Amino acid sequence: MTTPVLADLAVGQEIGSRSIDVDRARLVRYAGASGDFNPIHWNERFATEVGLPGVIAHGMLTMGLAVTVVSEWVGDPGRVVDYQTRFARPVVVPDPGTATVEVTGVVGAIDAEAGTVRIDLTVVFEGARVLAKAQAVVRL
């Protein structure tokens, strides 16, 4: 994939979208990689006892999966120089089954002088945003 050209971009332009399926096996793999073994991410009884609707995906997993739309578009994850979000609501992962997270990225701002583009991500699960103000800045 080639690096996007700054002059070819416009605010509001979609850079990509994807559906991402999350199942309990993915939560287990992420827990092992991250060291986050909080039982809200694997134990249904515990999750509901603390007031959650069920086992939920790790917020950082959701955040990491969402930014792949940006890194694939830009062609080099090293070009992502900033990425921030707020966690708005959980992604509840059924057993059995999967939770599908929908991600769309659009150009939010262009700084020609700095050679950067801000990509605004819309990250939705079951019709509601799970990440709020999800923004990545890439250097082109």
Side-chain angles (χ1 to χ4, degrees):
M1 178 173 269
T2 61
T3 302
V5 177
L6 195 68
D8 295 340
L9 301 175
V11 172
Q13 177 181 347
E14 184 175 316
I15 59 111
S17 64
R18 71 183 316 179
S19 296
I20 302 168
D21 291 329
V22 180
D23 61 9
R24 297 279 179 101
R26 189 172 227 171
L27 298 183
V28 170
R29 289 190 305 273
Y30 183 80
S34 69
D36 182 351
F37 294 100
N38 187 321
I40 64 174
H41 303 304
W42 58 270
N43 185 310
E44 190 82 28
R45 181 187 47 77
F46 183 87
T48 56
E49 284 178 359
V50 298
L52 294 168
V55 166
I56 63 170
H58 303 74
M60 295 301 286
L61 171 61
T62 305
M63 186 178 176
L65 292 170
V67 78
T68 60
V69 169
V70 178
S71 61
E72 288 174 359
W73 169 74
V74 76
D76 175 2
R79 290 185 176 277
V80 179
V81 295
D82 186 50
Y83 179 41
Q84 300 181 30
T85 192
R86 293 187 186 115
F87 301 107
R89 77 183 277 264
V91 174
V92 181
V93 182
D95 182 29
T98 60
T100 302
V101 178
E102 303 291 339
V103 182
T104 304
V106 299
V107 175
I110 300 170
D111 184 338
E113 187 174 313
T116 59
V117 178
R118 188 189 77 222
I119 304 299
D120 298 339
L121 294 170
T122 301
V123 185
V124 175
F125 169 67
E126 293 184 336
R129 284 184 182 229
V130 294
L131 298 181
K133 200 173 181 180
Q135 299 178 329
V137 176
V138 298
R139 184 171 319 283
L140 297 181

